[in-house]
Amino acid sequence: MRRWRTLLAMLAAVVTAATMSPAPASAADPVVPYVVGGSRAALGEFPFMVRLSMGCGGALYSPTLVLTAAHCVSRTGANTSITATFGAIDLQSSTRVTRKSNYVYRAPGYNGNGDDWAFIRLASPVSGANIATLPIVTSTAYDSGTFTIAGWGANREGGAQQRYLLKATVPFVSDSTCNSSSMYGGQVIAAEEICAGLTSGGVDTCQGDSGGPMFRQGASGWVQVGIVSWGDGCARPNKPGVYTQVSYFSSAIRSAATSLGG
Ligand code: ARG
């Protein structure tokens, strides 16, 4: 439920630090649930995916900025405590690239309800093999269809954080359906949030995926449509994932990026 989001993010951070349990070893495992209900991503498949040390995901917006969720950070201001990991699907890979943060920008007005986006600024620019930026959408043109989700969060409700990046696809769910009495009964902020998932459940983001991108193909490659924000449990029937609707915030996100120096 909404009010548990911050608590869950904090729990995810603790769990991440304590237990980095590997996903099942064989790439041949046919239908083991991942993200929830997904499969393992390939190296370089999603070169914009970022793992943040507080137990959240993110997307590389520019060489020095990672777009994540407001509920993953505590406040706007100098912050040198976050480590971001890039260029790897295996968080323990010897070829992973890491950067420290030097500043956090949390969406102005964030109070735990909506406005769930933030930037982490890196102490130095990141680049390299299997590292690339993800452009955000700037209109509602791509706010429908089939979305890809990915992250190192739990592969089932209450499950452990993952060592290997997991991915899945989920269909768009309209605001009216998502806010219907059988789903979220009006809890979704229609203008600011976008839902995705199966009515039957089974595929979803989960704790520790927060802040990561939801994306789809645009005119020339992947574009970011959402930011993992919240849901009632994970992958439950009639409880789609709820994502920050990037198109609604795109102007604010762009001007924040400019003010942060890129
Ligand atoms: N708030 C969660 C986190 O901190 C993400 C929850 C996403 N839940 C969902 N059912 N899609 O990681």
Side-chain angles (χ1 to χ4, degrees):
M1 305 300 271
R2 302 185 64 88
R3 63 181 172 276
W4 297 114
R5 277 186 291 168
T6 309
L7 179 60
L8 288 170
M10 290 163 69
L11 273 172
V14 173
V15 170
T16 308
T19 65
M20 198 63 84
S21 74
S26 167
D29 290 327
V31 219
V32 187
Y34 294 118
V35 147
V36 175
S39 60
R40 206 180 279 184
L43 184 60
E45 190 176 6
F46 307 123
F48 41 79
M49 286 298 305
V50 183
R51 178 65 172 180
L52 297 169
S53 55
M54 83 290 275
C56 278
L60 190 64
Y61 176 91
S62 76
T64 53
L65 292 175
V66 174
L67 185 59
T68 187
H71 82 263
C72 289
V73 303
S74 49
R75 61 176 185 87
T76 293
N79 185 325
T80 56
S81 72
I82 300 166
T83 302
T85 302
F86 307 88
I89 50 166
D90 174 0
L91 292 177
Q92 294 174 20
S93 166
S94 59
T95 58
R96 71 192 188 277
V97 173
T98 61
R99 289 289 184 277
K100 285 287 188 187
S101 61
N102 70 9
Y103 194 83
V104 164
Y105 180 91
R106 194 173 68 172
Y110 173 72
N111 65 3
N113 214 11
D115 292 311
D116 198 7
W117 64 273
F119 272 125
I120 312 286
R121 190 172 65 194
L122 307 174
S124 65
V126 69
S127 66
N130 305 309
I131 300 174
T133 56
L134 176 62
I136 63 167
V137 295
T138 55
S139 79
T140 57
Y142 298 110
D143 290 356
S144 62
T146 301
F147 305 122
T148 299
I149 50 177
W152 289 270
N155 65 353
R156 60 184 171 81
E157 189 174 327
Q161 299 295 293
Q162 299 294 300
R163 171 174 169 178
Y164 296 95
L165 180 64
L166 307 179
K167 62 169 180 175
T169 57
V170 279
F172 168 74
V173 175
S174 72
D175 288 330
S176 59
T177 299
C178 202
N179 258 332
S180 64
S181 55
S182 63
M183 292 193 174
Y184 287 116
Q187 289 184 89
V188 174
I189 305 171
E192 296 187 22
E193 297 177 324
I194 181 169
C195 301
L198 298 166
T199 306
S200 55
V203 185
D204 199 3
T205 45
C206 199
Q207 269 55 48
D209 292 321
S210 275
M214 178 171 80
F215 46 98
R216 55 160 283 171
Q217 288 293 327
S220 57
W222 296 116
V223 290
Q224 183 171 1
V225 168
I227 299 170
V228 179
S229 183
W230 63 279
D232 186 355
C234 304
R236 297 182 186 182
N238 284 304
K239 299 296 176 188
V242 186
Y243 298 80
T244 305
Q245 190 163 348
V246 168
S247 61
Y248 181 81
F249 295 105
S250 60
S251 302
I253 290 171
R254 282 198 291 185
S255 51
T258 303
S259 76
L260 291 166

